[in-house]
């Protein structure tokens, strides 16, 4: 079966968009105009859940094996991250001073100031990361700020494949339930549950709708209707909540409320409009990113942390929009280099695990 390059292309563009979002909302908080930061959210993480829905099937064994591989790759990455963070602190304390380290971490802003810097490794942090409790990595704060997506992805994939396997004739019912729950949570916000329930209710609907679109194409006559409905929804949102709601979209992303949901509709409709319509026949820089999206997702957390150290000295010396373009380009280049390194490190980690497996495997008949 030939690989659908449109999926890789869409994943690549979505990943590049995430890099821009993290350029705008992390180091960009020091210099990028608020309007641009909000507009960066047009093509956001909901696209990944939709693409997962398109590519998912009802094979439980295959899905669980894929998730197990992802979990191990994730654990290899956060182990590397843990030791990089720890060794940097040891290096800073040994060759400089605690004051130097505190000044270094102050570059990220007071919200991410490191607390309790010492030469003692905080093993509980590594354990928490393995279990998807994303305590901050002081030296690379953007990494753990990005990982909420991964926990929701695991949850969606598990429940999604169970629905597809055991309720194949009732998928539309589950879509209806998810949409109904999302509406209830928004109509009665006092009942909006904490934790992952609100995330899963909305993103599961996206996941399942995308699965129902698998192999299909939106009829041409429906395209202006769908974009018209999106325009009406946006008009209602601004008229109901006021123009200032534009600046509150990111706050309504965690967890997703009706404001953020309406904001994501344009990107989701666009994804489905071009699906099975836009033919990608050749490999490219973008499809390469899409094929290696998980490594780029890991890498952009590191690169988006590193670019802080360019932003701080340059933000007073050039127009903000020139700096934004420069930092974004540097961020993408760094992410590309780091992703390549992480892929090789992941391969090395798997070789170690395979060596340990062979050494500890039972030789009895």
């Amino acid at each position: 079966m030939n690989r659908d390059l449109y999926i890789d292309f869409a994943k690549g563009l979505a990943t590049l968009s995430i890099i821009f979002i993290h350029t705008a909302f992390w180091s960009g908080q020091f210099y990028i105009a608020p309007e641009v930061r909000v507009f960066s959210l047009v093509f956001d993480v909901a696209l990944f859940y939709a693409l997962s829905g398109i590519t998912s099937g009802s094979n439980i064994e295959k899905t669980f094996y894929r998730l197990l591989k992802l979990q191990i790759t994730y654990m290899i990455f956060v182990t590397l991250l843990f030791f990089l963070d720890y060794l940097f602190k040891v290096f800073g304390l040994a060759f400089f001073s605690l004051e130097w380290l505190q000044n270094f971490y102050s570059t990220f802003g007071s919200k991410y100031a490191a607390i309790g810097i010492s030469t003692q490794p905080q093993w509980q942090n590594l354990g928490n990361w393995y279990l998807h409790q994303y305590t901050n990595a002081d030296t690379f704060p953007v990494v753990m700020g990005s990982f909420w997506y991964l926990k929701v992805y695991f949850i969606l994939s598990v429940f999604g494949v169970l629905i597809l396997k055991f309720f194949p004739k009732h998928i539309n019912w589950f879509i209806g339930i998810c949409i109904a729950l999302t509406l209830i949570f928004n109509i009665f916000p006092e009942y909006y549950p904490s934790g992952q329930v609100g995330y899963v209710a909305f993103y599961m609907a996206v996941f399942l709708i995308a699965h129902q679109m698998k192999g299909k194409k939106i009829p041409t006559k429906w395209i202006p209707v769908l974009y018209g409905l999106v325009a009406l929804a946006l008009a209602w949102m601004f008229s109901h909540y006021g123009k200032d709601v534009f600046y509150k979209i990111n706050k309504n992303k965690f967890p997703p409320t009706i404001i953020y949901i309406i904001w994501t509709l344009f990107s989701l409709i666009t994804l489905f409009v071009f699906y099975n319509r836009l033919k990608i026949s050749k490999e490219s820089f973008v499809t390469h990113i899409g094929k290696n999206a998980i490594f780029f997702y890991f890498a952009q957390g590191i690169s988006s942390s590193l670019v802080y150290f360019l932003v701080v000295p340059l933000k007073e010396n050039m127009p903000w929009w020139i700096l934004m373009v420069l930092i974004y380009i540097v961020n993408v280049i760094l992410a590309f280099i780091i992703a390549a390194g992480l892929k090789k490190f992941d391969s090395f980690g798997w070789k170690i695990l395979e060596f340990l497996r062979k050494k500890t495997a039972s030789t009895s008949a």
Side-chain angles (χ1 to χ4, degrees):
M1 183 177 180
N2 293 329
R3 188 180 183 98
D4 187 351
L5 288 180
Y6 174 77
I7 300 299
D8 292 329
F9 185 78
K11 282 184 179 180
L13 287 180
T15 303
L16 289 170
S17 180
I18 293 299
I19 295 174
F20 182 64
I21 290 171
H22 290 164
T23 300
F25 272 93
W26 288 81
S27 59
Q29 66 183 304
F30 294 133
Y31 69 99
I32 294 180
E35 293 81 3
V36 177
R37 294 170 66 193
V38 173
F39 270 116
S40 72
L41 295 171
V42 171
F43 295 95
D44 202 1
V45 74
L47 292 175
F48 284 106
Y49 297 124
L51 290 164
S52 296
I54 292 175
T55 56
S56 293
S58 59
N59 189 319
I60 292 179
E61 182 178 349
K62 183 178 179 180
T63 299
F64 279 29
Y65 179 70
R66 175 171 53 82
L67 292 178
L68 178 60
K69 286 184 64 179
L70 176 59
Q71 173 66 16
I72 294 172
T73 289
Y74 162 76
M75 292 172 72
I76 291 171
F77 170 66
V78 296
T79 300
L80 173 65
L81 187 77
F82 175 82
F83 283 105
L84 287 177
D85 180 62
Y86 169 65
L87 292 174
F88 180 79
K89 291 175 181 174
V90 171
F91 173 84
L93 291 173
F95 293 95
F96 296 95
S97 66
L98 178 61
E99 183 181 359
W100 180 88
L101 269 179
Q102 290 173 333
N103 184 61
F104 175 89
Y105 289 124
S106 69
T107 305
F108 301 121
S110 58
K111 184 178 179 181
Y112 301 100
I115 299 173
I117 300 172
S118 73
T119 57
Q120 297 299 316
Q122 304 298 308
W123 295 108
Q124 71 275 13
N125 286 343
L126 181 59
N128 285 332
W129 293 349
Y130 284 164
L131 299 175
H132 295 277
Q133 181 180 342
Y134 306 123
T135 50
N136 191 43
D138 293 328
T139 312
F140 309 102
V142 184
V143 175
M144 293 303 159
S146 309
F147 271 160
W148 69 269
Y149 155 81
L150 201 60
K151 182 190 291 186
V152 176
Y153 173 78
F154 274 106
I155 297 170
L156 286 185
S157 296
V158 170
F159 282 96
V161 74
L162 293 177
I163 292 171
L164 298 179
K165 178 66 176 180
F166 296 109
F167 304 97
K169 296 181 180 180
H170 301 89
I171 295 174
N172 290 336
W173 282 97
F174 280 95
I175 293 173
I177 291 170
C178 290
I179 292 174
L181 286 173
T182 301
L183 289 174
I184 290 170
F185 296 156
N186 281 275
I187 295 172
F188 305 102
E190 64 272 19
Y191 298 120
Y192 204 122
S194 59
Q196 307 302 318
V197 178
Y199 291 89
V200 173
F202 169 57
Y203 291 123
M204 181 62 79
V206 172
F207 178 93
L208 293 175
I209 289 171
H211 180 269
Q212 295 296 77
M213 284 293 300
K214 190 173 185 177
K216 300 175 183 177
K217 182 167 67 173
I218 293 178
T220 303
K221 63 182 180 181
W222 278 100
I223 295 174
V225 175
L226 292 172
Y227 280 119
L229 291 174
V230 172
L232 287 174
L234 286 169
W236 173 83
M237 182 181 78
F238 286 114
S239 64
H240 182 77
Y241 293 101
K243 295 180 180 179
D244 288 343
V245 74
F246 175 79
Y247 298 99
K248 301 176 183 178
I249 288 173
N250 191 54
K251 292 182 179 179
N252 285 275
K253 178 180 175 180
F254 304 105
T257 67
I258 194 67
I259 295 169
Y260 176 73
I261 292 169
I262 290 174
W263 191 251
T264 65
L265 291 179
F266 174 80
S267 63
L268 291 172
I269 295 297
T270 301
L271 174 70
F272 294 134
V273 163
F274 285 105
Y275 176 57
N276 279 331
R277 182 171 275 109
L278 176 63
K279 301 299 181 182
I280 306 296
S281 57
K282 294 183 179 180
E283 300 277 355
S284 66
F285 172 77
V286 177
T287 59
H288 172 78
I289 294 175
K291 284 184 177 180
N292 299 279
I294 191 62
F295 294 107
F296 276 90
Y297 204 89
F298 293 165
Q300 61 79 32
I302 297 176
S303 63
S304 295
S305 300
L306 294 177
V307 295
Y308 269 88
F309 299 97
L310 282 177
V311 167
V312 171
L314 294 178
K315 62 186 176 70
E316 303 296 338
N317 299 317
M318 62 178 67
W320 68 266
W321 62 272
I322 294 178
L323 181 59
M324 179 185 71
V325 173
L326 173 64
I327 294 299
Y328 178 62
I329 292 173
V330 170
N331 204 350
V332 172
I333 293 172
L334 285 175
F336 195 93
I337 296 170
I338 294 169
L342 290 178
K343 192 172 182 179
K344 290 182 179 180
F345 185 79
D346 179 67
S347 178
F348 174 71
W350 278 95
K351 287 178 181 177
I352 292 177
L353 292 173
E354 179 62 17
F355 172 80
L356 294 174
R357 185 191 69 80
K358 290 179 178 179
K359 289 295 183 181
T360 58
S362 175
T363 57
S364 60

